[in-house]
Amino acid sequence: MGEVTFLDVSKRFFLRVEGEVHHVQALDHVNFTVKDGEIVALIGPSGCGKTTALRVAMGLDPSSGGRVTVDGHEINGCGHDRGMVFQHAELLPWLSALQNVMFGLEMKGMRGAVLRETAERYLHLVGLKDSQHRRPHQLSGGMKQRVGIARALAIDPKVLLMDEPFGALDAQTRESLQGELLDLHGRTGKTILFVTHDLDEAVLIADRIVVMKNGRVQEIMDVPLKRPRPDLGVVRGAPEFAETRYRVWRAIHDGSTVH
Amino acid sequence: MVDIANRQQKTAAAAETETAERKPLPRWVITLASIAVMLVLWEIFGRRVNPVFGSYPTAIAAAFWDLAVTGQLWSALYDSLRPFLLGYALAILIGVPLGLLIGGFRVAEAALGIYVTAGYAMPLVALVPLLILWLGLGFAVKVAVVFLMALFPICINTWLGVVAVPKTLIEVGKSFVAPDIVILRRIVLPATLPYIMAGIRLAVGRAVVAMVIAEFFTTISGLGAVIINSANNFDTATMFVPIIILMVMAIGLNWLIGFVERTVAPWQAEIAGRDRE
């Protein structure tokens, strides 16, 4: 199981700009649910609160109101039931790929031979068996993010939280990683909540798309594309893809003509 | 667009073959050449000066030989090195954890940071008489002077290093539910290592100066004694021998620290692209 629910989640903070205190409502009574095994994309213009929502769900930032639950249990700080994939992978530069994956497992209390075996298995899963002894700076951007995904998956969380995981990659690497993520999802059945600013990515990968704006949930849309989606090229050609992409685009741009 | 891209590719390729053809001089060759030029110039100009007011390399080498064969130099070096090494080692052993503590915990920073900042600027020479009253004229006071001079750069650098650790790396630890002490040991400490090593390097120079100060102002002993005695006898060439030995020692220690750094933190040089030298 792995169901994430945002219940009336709000987040306020103060920002001091040139001596003036600004009141920022990063999240304004956010409500939505990510069902077990589902992939949900959080999308919206920058500053809409999508990354804040993810950080609150991870427990890295406290909310000012409401609560986030995982399988009905209210979260209290970070936990092993959630695995975080960071935007720039954020691998520890002094550790090898393998040791980076082992780090997460060790924090979960795993020791001994099974520790190394598990880490190797997950690196294998993301296709990095041969590069496991390389340090992060010896890996390409795409490989780094694969390690980041392996590190989060290895602790076997109920939910994978991803913060623009492919945003910093070049277009080709991004496409192959999108395909691999769907493949991993097919094999592990993990619940995934990911933040993106890429319309194509949201429609290609997600089952549902949560469009956010000014800290609020603007609209929640179903993606009418069947699973599995083994060939994303075919998905891109499907009429449902273009149609959904347009609907999301409309939702993001609705009422923003002022800007 | 395609044209520009092609041209850029060509120039990049041209630059690559150029560097491949033109083999750069190794660093040590350049350094040795620099030393040779410096020594020759010093020799030429030094010989024109009254030997009381200055000296020159061959005269210093002769004085070095005299000190070395009588064994005077080695016993002086031994006397100097003992308090130096102990004080310096203590400064590392206490300075690094103290810096980690101050950088890692805001209460410690607010409570102790001010003393460390002030201590760095402390006019230590002025405090030597007081230290003598506390610790006497012997070994202990020399250790204390070296320790106090070396402690603060190490501590401050470690502290600055902790503050400069990227927040996201700490969040990696947090998101995997690492306890604070584990984050400090396994994320903050390795991320801070380059700063710590820089502090330890900066401290070498200060520790050498502290050692000589201690030998001047407490029991006159060691290399400091050789300097004072030969200066009193207007034997300028002999006076230069310990001074040069101290400088060479500082260079050697610096190299050793660099070697240790490359061994314990190889990723740092690799990231900076300095590992191929």
Side-chain angles (χ1 to χ4, degrees), chain B residues 26-49:
Chain B
R27 277 161 166 276
W28 61 270
V29 172
I30 301 169
T31 307
L32 280 184
S34 160
I35 293 171
V37 169
M38 215 278 296
L39 287 178
V40 168
L41 288 176
W42 189 7
E43 184 77 28
I44 291 168
F45 291 103
R47 277 177 182 275
R48 298 183 185 177
V49 177

Side-chain angles (χ1 to χ4, degrees), chain A residues 10-30:
Chain A
S10 293
K11 170 84 183 167
R12 280 181 300 276
F13 57 88
F14 298 102
L15 205 64
R16 195 180 284 274
V17 183
E18 289 172 8
E20 273 181 69
V21 178
H22 290 253
H23 178 88
V24 181
Q25 186 82 37
L27 296 176
D28 189 359
H29 299 278
V30 168

Side-chain angles (χ1 to χ4, degrees), chain B residues 1 4 7 21 27 65 118 125 135 161 168 170 174 182 226 231 251 276:
Chain B
M1 277 303 278
I4 294 167
R7 215 178 305 150
E21 280 165 12
R27 277 161 166 276
W65 179 253
V125 185
L135 300 166
T168 44
I170 292 169
K174 281 191 182 153
V182 174
V226 178
I251 293 169
R276 283 176 294 273

Side-chain angles (χ1 to χ4, degrees), chain A residues 55 58 60 78-80 86 90-94 103-104 106-107 135 137 151 155, chain B residues 167-169 171-178 182 186-187 190-191 266-267 270-271:
Chain A
R55 290 175 58 86
M58 186 61 232
L60 287 171
C78 299
H80 296 296
F86 293 84
E90 304 300 347
L91 305 180
L92 303 178
W94 47 89
F103 175 82
E106 281 171 71
M107 293 308 112
R135 272 196 277 270
H137 70 97
R151 180 175 64 183
I155 63 166
Chain B
K167 186 167 154 259
T168 44
L169 285 188
E171 285 183 346
V172 168
K174 281 191 182 153
S175 71
F176 286 97
V177 208
V182 174
R186 296 200 51 186
I187 295 176
W267 67 87
E270 287 167 11
I271 292 169

Side-chain angles (χ1 to χ4, degrees), chain A residues 97-192:
Chain A
L98 183 69
Q99 288 167 328
N100 263 289
V101 179
M102 282 162 65
F103 175 82
L105 288 167
E106 281 171 71
M107 293 308 112
K108 210 186 166 189
M110 193 180 276
R111 296 284 181 275
V114 68
L115 169 67
R116 197 190 161 96
E117 281 164 23
T118 311
E120 280 177 348
R121 194 169 73 239
Y122 278 93
L123 274 179
H124 193 67
L125 194 68
V126 297
L128 281 180
K129 193 82 177 169
D130 297 331
S131 314
Q132 59 180 11
H133 297 301
R134 291 203 206 170
R135 272 196 277 270
H137 70 97
Q138 297 164 322
L139 299 168
S140 68
M143 288 160 107
K144 275 186 214 168
Q145 198 51 287
R146 285 193 184 94
V147 178
I149 293 169
R151 180 175 64 183
L153 269 180
I155 63 166
D156 196 21
K158 290 177 174 173
V159 190
L160 208 54
L161 302 170
M162 308 176 91
D163 184 12
E164 299 198 25
F166 312 135
L169 304 175
D170 63 88
Q172 272 172 315
T173 312
R174 191 185 312 151
E175 281 187 23
S176 57
L177 273 167
Q178 286 164 347
E180 284 171 38
L181 180 66
L182 281 181
D183 184 48
L184 281 174
H185 178 254
R187 283 198 262 176
T188 59
K190 287 280 176 237
T191 309
I192 298 175

